[in-house]
Structures are given as structure tokens and as C-alpha cells.
Amino acid sequence: MTESNRFYATGRRKESVARVWITPGNGTITVNGRSFDDFFPTESRRTFIRMPLEALEVTGEYDVRATVRGGGVTGQAGAVRHG
């Protein structure tokens, strides 16, 4: 954790690259400045991205802000998850 209480990581999958910041919060996830539900409209991709948070049992404790570029929707979801 950095001095400002946030984590940063880069995730890559196929041709996609995601920069991900995690900060203490209420569980809000935004991707490229858009709502998580708007950016990934299918539940399967949203569930796929939430899996690491659920495995650590910290869902709802951290806000996730991601920027992702390149590739398709599946690769972008994987890159955000890896970040």
C-alpha cells in the first residue's frame, strides 16, 4: 500500500493492458470512467473480474478504478482481473 492508501497494478491479457488502482471504499468499480455494469454488460465477465476480491473476502471493502486499452472485451476483462 502506498502512502495515500492505494494499491496500483498493471494487468495484461492477450492484447489488452489494464492499469488498476484499489483504494479503501465501499466496493465501487469503474472502468475507463464508466460504471462497471455499463462497461461490461454481461454478468459472466463481471463475475470473472470480481473473483479475486471474493476469494479474499474483501468485496465491498475496496473501490477499484481501472483504465483498459486494446484487445476485445474478453481480454479486457482478463486484464482488469489480473490487475
Side-chain angles (χ1 to χ4, degrees):
M1 188 168 279
T2 64
E3 293 176 17
S4 61
N5 290 334
R6 65 180 178 174
F7 295 96
Y8 168 79
T10 301
R12 292 181 176 86
R13 173 84 169 106
K14 297 183 177 184
E15 297 292 321
S16 302
V17 178
R19 297 183 306 162
V20 181
W21 292 266
I22 299 176
T23 57
N26 59 5
T28 303
I29 302 175
T30 58
V31 180
N32 289 354
R34 292 170 44 193
S35 161
F36 181 59
D37 296 333
D38 290 341
F39 197 86
F40 294 109
T42 59
E43 184 60 35
S44 62
R45 288 190 178 94
R46 292 192 301 259
T47 300
F48 181 72
I49 292 169
R50 280 192 221 104
M51 281 182 183
L53 297 171
E54 291 172 357
L56 295 172
E57 298 178 356
V58 295
T59 304
E61 295 179 26
Y62 292 94
D63 291 342
V64 177
R65 184 173 58 90
T67 58
V68 64
R69 294 193 181 272
V73 178
T74 302
Q76 288 181 346
V80 172
R81 177 184 175 166
H82 290 171

PDB file of all heavy atoms in Angstrom, residues 8-20 68-69 75-83:
ATOM      1  N   TYR A   8      -1.612  -0.139  -6.693  1.00  0.00           N
ATOM      2  CA  TYR A   8      -1.605   0.026  -8.140  1.00  0.00           C
ATOM      3  C   TYR A   8      -1.011  -1.233  -8.749  1.00  0.00           C
ATOM      4  O   TYR A   8      -0.031  -1.784  -8.224  1.00  0.00           O
ATOM      5  CB  TYR A   8      -0.775   1.239  -8.563  1.00  0.00           C
ATOM      6  CG  TYR A   8      -0.514   1.272 -10.055  1.00  0.00           C
ATOM      7  CD1 TYR A   8      -1.498   1.707 -10.923  1.00  0.00           C
ATOM      8  CD2 TYR A   8       0.689   0.837 -10.589  1.00  0.00           C
ATOM      9  CE1 TYR A   8      -1.290   1.717 -12.289  1.00  0.00           C
ATOM     10  CE2 TYR A   8       0.911   0.845 -11.952  1.00  0.00           C
ATOM     11  CZ  TYR A   8      -0.076   1.282 -12.791  1.00  0.00           C
ATOM     12  OH  TYR A   8       0.125   1.274 -14.135  1.00  0.00           O
ATOM     13  N   ALA A   9      -1.576  -1.682  -9.855  1.00  0.00           N
ATOM     14  CA  ALA A   9      -1.035  -2.837 -10.567  1.00  0.00           C
ATOM     15  C   ALA A   9      -1.393  -2.729 -12.045  1.00  0.00           C
ATOM     16  O   ALA A   9      -2.369  -2.071 -12.418  1.00  0.00           O
ATOM     17  CB  ALA A   9      -1.587  -4.127  -9.995  1.00  0.00           C
ATOM     18  N   THR A  10      -0.595  -3.378 -12.856  1.00  0.00           N
ATOM     19  CA  THR A  10      -0.868  -3.473 -14.280  1.00  0.00           C
ATOM     20  C   THR A  10      -1.205  -4.918 -14.592  1.00  0.00           C
ATOM     21  O   THR A  10      -0.493  -5.827 -14.172  1.00  0.00           O
ATOM     22  CB  THR A  10       0.361  -3.049 -15.104  1.00  0.00           C
ATOM     23  OG1 THR A  10       0.693  -1.704 -14.769  1.00  0.00           O
ATOM     24  CG2 THR A  10       0.080  -3.144 -16.599  1.00  0.00           C
ATOM     25  N   GLY A  11      -2.297  -5.124 -15.315  1.00  0.00           N
ATOM     26  CA  GLY A  11      -2.706  -6.463 -15.719  1.00  0.00           C
ATOM     27  C   GLY A  11      -2.692  -6.557 -17.234  1.00  0.00           C
ATOM     28  O   GLY A  11      -3.035  -5.605 -17.930  1.00  0.00           O
ATOM     29  N   ARG A  12      -2.276  -7.720 -17.735  1.00  0.00           N
ATOM     30  CA  ARG A  12      -2.237  -7.942 -19.181  1.00  0.00           C
ATOM     31  C   ARG A  12      -2.905  -9.270 -19.514  1.00  0.00           C
ATOM     32  O   ARG A  12      -2.719 -10.246 -18.802  1.00  0.00           O
ATOM     33  CB  ARG A  12      -0.798  -7.970 -19.661  1.00  0.00           C
ATOM     34  CG  ARG A  12      -0.112  -6.642 -19.551  1.00  0.00           C
ATOM     35  CD  ARG A  12       1.327  -6.723 -20.083  1.00  0.00           C
ATOM     36  NE  ARG A  12       1.955  -5.419 -20.061  1.00  0.00           N
ATOM     37  CZ  ARG A  12       2.572  -4.907 -19.014  1.00  0.00           C
ATOM     38  NH1 ARG A  12       2.653  -5.600 -17.897  1.00  0.00           N
ATOM     39  NH2 ARG A  12       3.125  -3.725 -19.064  1.00  0.00           N
ATOM     40  N   ARG A  13      -3.634  -9.257 -20.623  1.00  0.00           N
ATOM     41  CA  ARG A  13      -4.277 -10.475 -21.111  1.00  0.00           C
ATOM     42  C   ARG A  13      -4.464 -10.311 -22.603  1.00  0.00           C
ATOM     43  O   ARG A  13      -5.069  -9.325 -23.060  1.00  0.00           O
ATOM     44  CB  ARG A  13      -5.622 -10.671 -20.424  1.00  0.00           C
ATOM     45  CG  ARG A  13      -6.454 -11.800 -20.971  1.00  0.00           C
ATOM     46  CD  ARG A  13      -6.054 -13.132 -20.334  1.00  0.00           C
ATOM     47  NE  ARG A  13      -7.029 -14.150 -20.682  1.00  0.00           N
ATOM     48  CZ  ARG A  13      -6.780 -15.117 -21.571  1.00  0.00           C
ATOM     49  NH1 ARG A  13      -5.608 -15.220 -22.146  1.00  0.00           N
ATOM     50  NH2 ARG A  13      -7.720 -15.997 -21.852  1.00  0.00           N
ATOM     51  N   LYS A  14      -3.943 -11.259 -23.368  1.00  0.00           N
ATOM     52  CA  LYS A  14      -3.983 -11.199 -24.827  1.00  0.00           C
ATOM     53  C   LYS A  14      -3.413  -9.859 -25.286  1.00  0.00           C
ATOM     54  O   LYS A  14      -2.257  -9.564 -25.005  1.00  0.00           O
ATOM     55  CB  LYS A  14      -5.398 -11.439 -25.341  1.00  0.00           C
ATOM     56  CG  LYS A  14      -5.953 -12.807 -25.021  1.00  0.00           C
ATOM     57  CD  LYS A  14      -7.331 -12.995 -25.625  1.00  0.00           C
ATOM     58  CE  LYS A  14      -7.857 -14.380 -25.360  1.00  0.00           C
ATOM     59  NZ  LYS A  14      -9.142 -14.579 -26.022  1.00  0.00           N
ATOM     60  N   GLU A  15      -4.171  -9.040 -25.968  1.00  0.00           N
ATOM     61  CA  GLU A  15      -3.691  -7.740 -26.454  1.00  0.00           C
ATOM     62  C   GLU A  15      -4.104  -6.578 -25.556  1.00  0.00           C
ATOM     63  O   GLU A  15      -3.832  -5.428 -25.870  1.00  0.00           O
ATOM     64  CB  GLU A  15      -4.225  -7.478 -27.875  1.00  0.00           C
ATOM     65  CG  GLU A  15      -3.736  -8.473 -28.910  1.00  0.00           C
ATOM     66  CD  GLU A  15      -2.244  -8.325 -29.177  1.00  0.00           C
ATOM     67  OE1 GLU A  15      -1.744  -7.184 -29.212  1.00  0.00           O
ATOM     68  OE2 GLU A  15      -1.584  -9.369 -29.333  1.00  0.00           O
ATOM     69  N   SER A  16      -4.751  -6.872 -24.440  1.00  0.00           N
ATOM     70  CA  SER A  16      -5.286  -5.834 -23.558  1.00  0.00           C
ATOM     71  C   SER A  16      -4.325  -5.534 -22.408  1.00  0.00           C
ATOM     72  O   SER A  16      -3.667  -6.430 -21.893  1.00  0.00           O
ATOM     73  CB  SER A  16      -6.625  -6.273 -22.971  1.00  0.00           C
ATOM     74  OG  SER A  16      -7.548  -6.548 -23.997  1.00  0.00           O
ATOM     75  N   VAL A  17      -4.292  -4.261 -22.022  1.00  0.00           N
ATOM     76  CA  VAL A  17      -3.494  -3.820 -20.880  1.00  0.00           C
ATOM     77  C   VAL A  17      -4.390  -2.971 -19.991  1.00  0.00           C
ATOM     78  O   VAL A  17      -5.055  -2.052 -20.459  1.00  0.00           O
ATOM     79  CB  VAL A  17      -2.272  -2.992 -21.328  1.00  0.00           C
ATOM     80  CG1 VAL A  17      -1.490  -2.503 -20.131  1.00  0.00           C
ATOM     81  CG2 VAL A  17      -1.388  -3.796 -22.262  1.00  0.00           C
ATOM     82  N   ALA A  18      -4.402  -3.294 -18.688  1.00  0.00           N
ATOM     83  CA  ALA A  18      -5.223  -2.551 -17.734  1.00  0.00           C
ATOM     84  C   ALA A  18      -4.336  -1.991 -16.628  1.00  0.00           C
ATOM     85  O   ALA A  18      -3.441  -2.675 -16.130  1.00  0.00           O
ATOM     86  CB  ALA A  18      -6.290  -3.455 -17.125  1.00  0.00           C
ATOM     87  N   ARG A  19      -4.591  -0.744 -16.272  1.00  0.00           N
ATOM     88  CA  ARG A  19      -3.970  -0.132 -15.096  1.00  0.00           C
ATOM     89  C   ARG A  19      -5.065  -0.084 -14.040  1.00  0.00           C
ATOM     90  O   ARG A  19      -6.148   0.433 -14.293  1.00  0.00           O
ATOM     91  CB  ARG A  19      -3.450   1.257 -15.416  1.00  0.00           C
ATOM     92  CG  ARG A  19      -2.356   1.231 -16.476  1.00  0.00           C
ATOM     93  CD  ARG A  19      -1.771   2.589 -16.749  1.00  0.00           C
ATOM     94  NE  ARG A  19      -2.834   3.547 -17.082  1.00  0.00           N
ATOM     95  CZ  ARG A  19      -2.676   4.864 -17.037  1.00  0.00           C
ATOM     96  NH1 ARG A  19      -1.525   5.382 -16.693  1.00  0.00           N
ATOM     97  NH2 ARG A  19      -3.661   5.662 -17.353  1.00  0.00           N
ATOM     98  N   VAL A  20      -4.761  -0.614 -12.856  1.00  0.00           N
ATOM     99  CA  VAL A  20      -5.793  -0.784 -11.828  1.00  0.00           C
ATOM    100  C   VAL A  20      -5.332  -0.158 -10.515  1.00  0.00           C
ATOM    101  O   VAL A  20      -4.219  -0.421 -10.063  1.00  0.00           O
ATOM    102  CB  VAL A  20      -6.115  -2.282 -11.610  1.00  0.00           C
ATOM    103  CG1 VAL A  20      -7.205  -2.451 -10.575  1.00  0.00           C
ATOM    104  CG2 VAL A  20      -6.507  -2.949 -12.917  1.00  0.00           C
ATOM    105  N   VAL A  68      -8.406   0.561 -19.210  1.00  0.00           N
ATOM    106  CA  VAL A  68      -8.025  -0.590 -20.024  1.00  0.00           C
ATOM    107  C   VAL A  68      -8.027  -0.189 -21.489  1.00  0.00           C
ATOM    108  O   VAL A  68      -8.863   0.610 -21.924  1.00  0.00           O
ATOM    109  CB  VAL A  68      -8.959  -1.797 -19.737  1.00  0.00           C
ATOM    110  CG1 VAL A  68     -10.377  -1.512 -20.136  1.00  0.00           C
ATOM    111  CG2 VAL A  68      -8.452  -3.052 -20.397  1.00  0.00           C
ATOM    112  N   ARG A  69      -7.078  -0.725 -22.235  1.00  0.00           N
ATOM    113  CA  ARG A  69      -6.952  -0.429 -23.665  1.00  0.00           C
ATOM    114  C   ARG A  69      -6.574  -1.694 -24.416  1.00  0.00           C
ATOM    115  O   ARG A  69      -5.938  -2.581 -23.865  1.00  0.00           O
ATOM    116  CB  ARG A  69      -5.875   0.613 -23.907  1.00  0.00           C
ATOM    117  CG  ARG A  69      -6.189   1.967 -23.335  1.00  0.00           C
ATOM    118  CD  ARG A  69      -5.230   3.009 -23.885  1.00  0.00           C
ATOM    119  NE  ARG A  69      -5.506   4.309 -23.311  1.00  0.00           N
ATOM    120  CZ  ARG A  69      -6.370   5.177 -23.810  1.00  0.00           C
ATOM    121  NH1 ARG A  69      -7.041   4.872 -24.883  1.00  0.00           N
ATOM    122  NH2 ARG A  69      -6.564   6.334 -23.230  1.00  0.00           N
ATOM    123  N   GLY A  75     -10.528 -10.123 -23.395  1.00  0.00           N
ATOM    124  CA  GLY A  75      -9.172  -9.795 -22.998  1.00  0.00           C
ATOM    125  C   GLY A  75      -9.118  -8.650 -22.023  1.00  0.00           C
ATOM    126  O   GLY A  75      -8.326  -8.639 -21.074  1.00  0.00           O
ATOM    127  N   GLN A  76      -9.991  -7.656 -22.206  1.00  0.00           N
ATOM    128  CA  GLN A  76     -10.035  -6.529 -21.295  1.00  0.00           C
ATOM    129  C   GLN A  76     -10.499  -6.970 -19.910  1.00  0.00           C
ATOM    130  O   GLN A  76      -9.944  -6.539 -18.904  1.00  0.00           O
ATOM    131  CB  GLN A  76     -10.946  -5.438 -21.848  1.00  0.00           C
ATOM    132  CG  GLN A  76     -10.335  -4.730 -23.034  1.00  0.00           C
ATOM    133  CD  GLN A  76     -11.215  -3.634 -23.588  1.00  0.00           C
ATOM    134  OE1 GLN A  76     -12.405  -3.544 -23.268  1.00  0.00           O
ATOM    135  NE2 GLN A  76     -10.640  -2.798 -24.438  1.00  0.00           N
ATOM    136  N   ALA A  77     -11.494  -7.837 -19.851  1.00  0.00           N
ATOM    137  CA  ALA A  77     -11.948  -8.345 -18.551  1.00  0.00           C
ATOM    138  C   ALA A  77     -10.828  -9.117 -17.859  1.00  0.00           C
ATOM    139  O   ALA A  77     -10.611  -8.970 -16.657  1.00  0.00           O
ATOM    140  CB  ALA A  77     -13.182  -9.234 -18.737  1.00  0.00           C
ATOM    141  N   GLY A  78     -10.091  -9.913 -18.617  1.00  0.00           N
ATOM    142  CA  GLY A  78      -8.965 -10.642 -18.047  1.00  0.00           C
ATOM    143  C   GLY A  78      -7.864  -9.737 -17.554  1.00  0.00           C
ATOM    144  O   GLY A  78      -7.270  -9.981 -16.508  1.00  0.00           O
ATOM    145  N   ALA A  79      -7.582  -8.680 -18.300  1.00  0.00           N
ATOM    146  CA  ALA A  79      -6.537  -7.728 -17.891  1.00  0.00           C
ATOM    147  C   ALA A  79      -6.919  -7.004 -16.601  1.00  0.00           C
ATOM    148  O   ALA A  79      -6.090  -6.836 -15.713  1.00  0.00           O
ATOM    149  CB  ALA A  79      -6.284  -6.729 -19.015  1.00  0.00           C
ATOM    150  N   VAL A  80      -8.185  -6.616 -16.483  1.00  0.00           N
ATOM    151  CA  VAL A  80      -8.644  -5.950 -15.251  1.00  0.00           C
ATOM    152  C   VAL A  80      -8.543  -6.927 -14.082  1.00  0.00           C
ATOM    153  O   VAL A  80      -8.078  -6.581 -12.997  1.00  0.00           O
ATOM    154  CB  VAL A  80     -10.085  -5.413 -15.404  1.00  0.00           C
ATOM    155  CG1 VAL A  80     -10.627  -4.914 -14.067  1.00  0.00           C
ATOM    156  CG2 VAL A  80     -10.113  -4.309 -16.440  1.00  0.00           C
ATOM    157  N   ARG A  81      -8.939  -8.164 -14.311  1.00  0.00           N
ATOM    158  CA  ARG A  81      -8.854  -9.172 -13.241  1.00  0.00           C
ATOM    159  C   ARG A  81      -7.411  -9.389 -12.808  1.00  0.00           C
ATOM    160  O   ARG A  81      -7.119  -9.472 -11.620  1.00  0.00           O
ATOM    161  CB  ARG A  81      -9.445 -10.485 -13.727  1.00  0.00           C
ATOM    162  CG  ARG A  81      -9.329 -11.584 -12.718  1.00  0.00           C
ATOM    163  CD  ARG A  81      -9.828 -12.901 -13.242  1.00  0.00           C
ATOM    164  NE  ARG A  81      -9.579 -13.922 -12.258  1.00  0.00           N
ATOM    165  CZ  ARG A  81     -10.130 -15.103 -12.299  1.00  0.00           C
ATOM    166  NH1 ARG A  81     -10.972 -15.421 -13.263  1.00  0.00           N
ATOM    167  NH2 ARG A  81      -9.843 -16.008 -11.386  1.00  0.00           N
ATOM    168  N   HIS A  82      -6.494  -9.483 -13.746  1.00  0.00           N
ATOM    169  CA  HIS A  82      -5.089  -9.691 -13.395  1.00  0.00           C
ATOM    170  C   HIS A  82      -4.516  -8.499 -12.644  1.00  0.00           C
ATOM    171  O   HIS A  82      -3.686  -8.668 -11.749  1.00  0.00           O
ATOM    172  CB  HIS A  82      -4.255  -9.958 -14.645  1.00  0.00           C
ATOM    173  CG  HIS A  82      -4.533 -11.284 -15.259  1.00  0.00           C
ATOM    174  ND1 HIS A  82      -4.041 -11.642 -16.474  1.00  0.00           N
ATOM    175  CD2 HIS A  82      -5.268 -12.351 -14.830  1.00  0.00           C
ATOM    176  CE1 HIS A  82      -4.450 -12.876 -16.778  1.00  0.00           C
ATOM    177  NE2 HIS A  82      -5.196 -13.312 -15.796  1.00  0.00           N
ATOM    178  N   GLY A  83      -4.953  -7.301 -13.008  1.00  0.00           N
ATOM    179  CA  GLY A  83      -4.507  -6.118 -12.285  1.00  0.00           C
ATOM    180  C   GLY A  83      -5.005  -6.131 -10.874  1.00  0.00           C
ATOM    181  O   GLY A  83      -4.307  -5.796  -9.933  1.00  0.00           O
TER     182      GLY A  83
END
